Amino acid sequence: MNPLSNYAFLDESSKREIRRATLKAISIPGYQVPFASREMPIARGWGTGGLQLTLSLVGKGDRVKVIDQGADESVNAVNIKKLVSSTTGVEVTEFTASASLIQSRHRIPEEPLQADQILILQVPIPEPLRLYERSEAATRKLHSEKEYSGAYLILFEQIMRYGRVSTGADHPVMVNDRYVMAPSPIPRFDNPKMDSSDALILLGAGREKKIYAVPPHTRVVSLDFKDHPFEIESVEGRCCRLCGATGVYFDELQDNETGETFYQCNDTAHCLSLMNAEDGV
Amino acid sequence: MRLDTVHDIQAAYRRVVHATSFPGTVVDISEQASLVDIESHLPDPMIVLAMMLVDAEVTFYIASSDARADATVISQLTYARVATSEEAGYLFLARSGNASIASLIEAARIGSLTDPHLGATIIVEVSSLEALVSEHPGCIVLSGPGVREIAYLAIPEIDWVEPRRRQNEEYPLGVDLMLVTPAGQLASIPRTTRLEVL
C-alpha cells in the first residue's frame, strides 16, 4: 500500500460528495445526479466515474474485481485494479462470486450477482437522449417532464433505416417506470440482467459528471415497440471453444490461417471457472 | 476522537448504502457510534451520519434539546452551515428536541423536477427499530424499489408516515428518510418506498 496516498486515493471531502450523490441516486432510480467529478490519475473516458464510485465505497475487507469488456486482464482493468489495491491494500480477485465490489466496463458478469455485492458500471455517455438533443439543459427538462418521444424516435429511425433496432450496445431502458436511462455500453444481452437484479448497480460517468443507480429489485424495461419487441443478440448454435459454454455472450474470433470463425466466452472469469470445474480444480 | 474518520465512516457508509438499497433492512452502525466521544444532545449514530454526509457544501438543521449548541458542534466538526428546516439539505431530528416531526417533514425541501436530488435527507431518531419477517399489528409495510416483494418494520413512532406520503406525492420530488435508534440501528426509507401502516 502506498503510504503517501490518501486511503483510496480520494480525499475525504471528495468521497463525502460522491457518497451524497450516490445515496440520492439510489433514492431516485435512473435519475442522473450531478457530481463534481475529480481529476483522477487515469484519463477521463477511461473509467474515472466508475473508479470514483469504487474508491468512495471500498474499505478494509473488500474484494475488488475489475472487468474491461468481459476481461479481467486487459490494460484498463489491470491499471484500475493496481490503483485501487495500491491505495487501499484490499485484495483483488477475478472470481465474480468472491468479489464484494465489481467495477465493470461494457459487461454485466454472466454469474448472477448477490445482494451483498455492488456492481459499478463505467459510463461514457450517461444521457440517453443526447443523440436527439445536444443541450444538457434541454435534456434535463425532458427528463423532468418524462418527455421521452426522443428516445423512441432514435429507435424508430433505426427501424426505418435498417428494418430493425440497431443499437449494438447501450440500448436505453426505462427504470422504475419513470426515467429513461443509458445502461452504459453493455450489449443488449445484458439488459435483462438489470431488471430486478439482486445486487445494487451503480453507474458513474466521470467526464460527464453524473452518478446514477439501479437499486436491487427494481423494474428495468428495455425500450421497444409492440411490433418491434426488444431482442437480445442471438447466441444460438454457438459455443465457447475453450469451455464449451452455451447461452453466454461471446467474442467472435477468426483463425488467421484457415479463416475459420470461432467463438469464445466474453466473460473470461466465467470461462475460467467453468474450465476449472471441468478439471476438478 | 476515537472515531476513525476514514475507515469507520467508510464502514458506516457501506451499511447506509445497503440500507438505502434494501429498504426494510435494518443495519447496525453501533460499532462506529460507540467510538463517538463528542458532547452533544444528539444520539451518537447521528454524529456518525453527520460526519459521513455533511460538509461546507451543504446545509443542515438540528432539532434537539439544545439545537443551538449541537449545531455549533456539527459546524465545527464538518464546516457545514446551519439553515432553516425549510432550506436545509440534511435534517437531524433527535427525540430530545420534542419537535413536530410531521410539520418539519411537511416543510422540508423536496427538490425541483429538474433537480429532484435537492430534496432533503431527513434523519429521524426513533426509540427502536426492528425488521420483521411477517406482518404484525401496528407495523409498517414497505414496498417499492429495493424490496423484493414486501418488507415489514416495527417502529414505535409512526407519526411521520402520513406527512411523508403527502410530501412525496409527486415523485420524483420528495424527501428521503433515515431512521436511527440511539443504539445505532438504522433503516433507510428513500422516496420511492411505499409505506402502509397496518
Side-chain angles (χ1 to χ4, degrees):
Chain A
M1 194 174 139
N2 182 355
L4 297 175
S5 152
N6 288 321
Y7 183 82
F9 186 77
L10 295 167
D11 58 273
E12 290 307 302
S13 61
S14 298
K15 286 183 199 164
R16 206 174 296 122
E17 201 248 351
I18 296 165
R19 288 168 180 170
R20 281 195 297 261
T22 306
L23 291 175
K24 284 297 172 195
I26 302 169
S27 302
I28 316 170
Y31 167 71
Q32 302 165 50
V33 183
F35 83 113
S37 183
R38 264 61 182 176
E39 288 288 339
M40 300 302 290
I42 56 171
R44 287 200 164 143
W46 287 82
T48 53
L51 182 59
Q52 289 176 78
L53 279 171
T54 301
L55 294 172
S56 74
L57 288 160
V58 71
K60 290 174 186 167
D62 267 319
R63 274 192 182 177
V64 177
K65 171 180 165 77
V66 183
I67 325 168
D68 175 9
Q69 305 244 27
D72 289 88
E73 285 163 7
S74 73
V75 174
N76 196 213
V78 170
N79 281 336
I80 290 174
K81 269 189 278 199
K82 272 188 186 163
L83 180 72
V84 174
S85 65
S86 69
T87 58
T88 60
V90 300
E91 259 184 81
V92 293
T93 180
E94 288 179 5
F95 299 105
T96 305
S98 58
S100 52
L101 296 174
I102 303 172
Q103 180 175 335
S104 174
R105 168 174 179 259
H106 298 198
R107 275 313 305 279
I108 295 177
E110 300 289 354
E111 231 168 291
L113 300 176
Q114 308 300 321
D116 55 355
Q117 297 180 304
I118 300 176
L119 175 67
I120 300 139
L121 290 168
Q122 301 170 200
V123 186
I125 301 166
E127 181 47 70
L129 303 171
R130 187 60 71 230
L131 256 179
Y132 161 80
E133 170 56 62
R134 279 194 297 180
S135 156
E136 171 70 13
T139 51
R140 287 191 79 80
K141 190 157 183 289
L142 293 172
H143 281 292
S144 77
E145 292 169 353
K146 203 183 173 186
E147 169 44 63
Y148 290 129
S149 337
Y152 284 98
L153 189 64
I154 296 168
L155 300 180
F156 176 74
E157 284 186 346
Q158 292 172 357
I159 293 169
M160 286 296 99
R161 189 168 294 176
Y162 306 110
R164 61 181 177 85
V165 170
S166 63
T167 47
D170 212 355
H171 185 97
V173 293
M174 174 69 87
V175 181
N176 192 29
D177 200 30
R178 177 57 183 85
Y179 284 103
V180 165
M181 182 191 94
S184 86
I186 54 173
R188 277 175 287 139
F189 186 86
D190 285 345
N191 274 22
K193 295 180 193 166
M194 280 197 162
D195 183 31
S196 299
S197 155
D198 281 333
L200 168 66
I201 303 172
L202 295 174
L203 300 100
R207 185 180 49 205
E208 305 291 324
K209 306 183 177 179
K210 296 286 167 55
I211 287 172
Y212 52 110
V214 177
H217 312 302
T218 300
R219 200 165 138 78
V220 177
V221 182
S222 301
L223 299 192
D224 64 358
F225 297 99
K226 263 187 189 157
D227 53 345
H228 277 271
F230 171 78
E231 281 176 346
I232 60 168
E233 293 86 351
S234 169
V235 292
E236 249 182 52
R238 297 175 184 179
C239 74
C240 175
R241 68 156 179 169
L242 298 175
C243 69
T246 55
V248 296
Y249 196 70
F250 293 106
D251 284 337
E252 185 176 299
L253 304 162
Q254 213 160 33
D255 191 307
N256 275 347
E257 282 168 14
T258 63
E260 186 199 352
T261 300
F262 55 88
Y263 298 95
Q264 200 169 305
C265 284
N266 172 264
D267 184 339
T268 54
H270 183 65
C271 192
L272 189 68
S273 63
L274 287 178
M275 283 192 289
N276 281 344
E278 223 170 79
D279 295 343
V281 177
Chain B
M1 184 161 42
R2 289 190 302 147
L3 181 78
D4 185 324
T5 53
V6 176
H7 298 289
D8 290 327
I9 294 295
Q10 181 275 340
Y13 169 65
R14 282 291 285 280
R15 291 179 170 103
V16 171
V17 167
H18 190 80
T20 311
S21 306
F22 297 91
T25 307
V26 175
V27 297
D28 184 8
I29 58 166
S30 59
E31 197 185 322
Q32 292 78 28
S34 69
L35 299 172
V36 171
D37 47 13
I38 292 160
E39 289 293 317
S40 82
H41 306 83
L42 297 171
D44 290 337
M46 265 192 195
I47 302 279
V48 175
L49 291 171
M51 294 184 67
M52 179 193 306
L53 297 169
V54 304
D55 59 21
E57 293 174 33
V58 295
T59 52
F60 71 97
Y61 171 86
I62 282 181
S64 73
S65 57
D66 192 348
R68 189 184 286 261
D70 293 338
T72 308
V73 169
I74 297 297
S75 284
Q76 285 173 347
L77 270 177
T78 65
Y79 301 105
R81 290 163 291 137
V82 186
T84 63
S85 64
E86 292 87 0
E87 289 167 353
Y90 291 82
L91 286 81
F92 297 88
L93 312 180
R95 281 196 303 152
S96 66
N98 284 324
S100 161
I101 307 284
S103 57
L104 285 170
I105 288 179
E106 270 179 317
R109 230 164 69 174
I110 55 170
S112 65
L113 283 169
T114 44
D115 291 306
H117 63 285
L118 298 180
T121 302
I122 306 179
I123 296 141
V124 182
E125 181 191 351
V126 292
S127 52
S128 74
L129 198 55
E130 195 189 344
L132 304 173
V133 286
S134 60
E135 63 181 59
H136 198 270
C139 82
I140 293 178
V141 185
L142 300 89
S143 59
V147 185
R148 188 189 284 273
E149 278 168 5
I150 228 166
Y152 305 95
L153 273 180
I155 311 162
E157 301 86 357
I158 50 167
D159 50 337
W160 48 269
V161 174
E162 186 48 30
R164 174 198 173 268
R165 189 192 60 75
R166 283 197 295 271
Q167 195 70 337
N168 289 1
E169 218 155 32
E170 279 185 67
Y171 180 77
L173 304 182
V175 294
D176 304 305
L177 249 69
M178 283 183 209
L179 308 172
V180 64
T181 69
Q185 306 296 305
L186 181 143
S188 183
I189 304 183
R191 65 191 76 179
T192 45
T193 307
R194 290 179 293 279
L195 301 180
E196 193 196 329
V197 180
L198 281 186

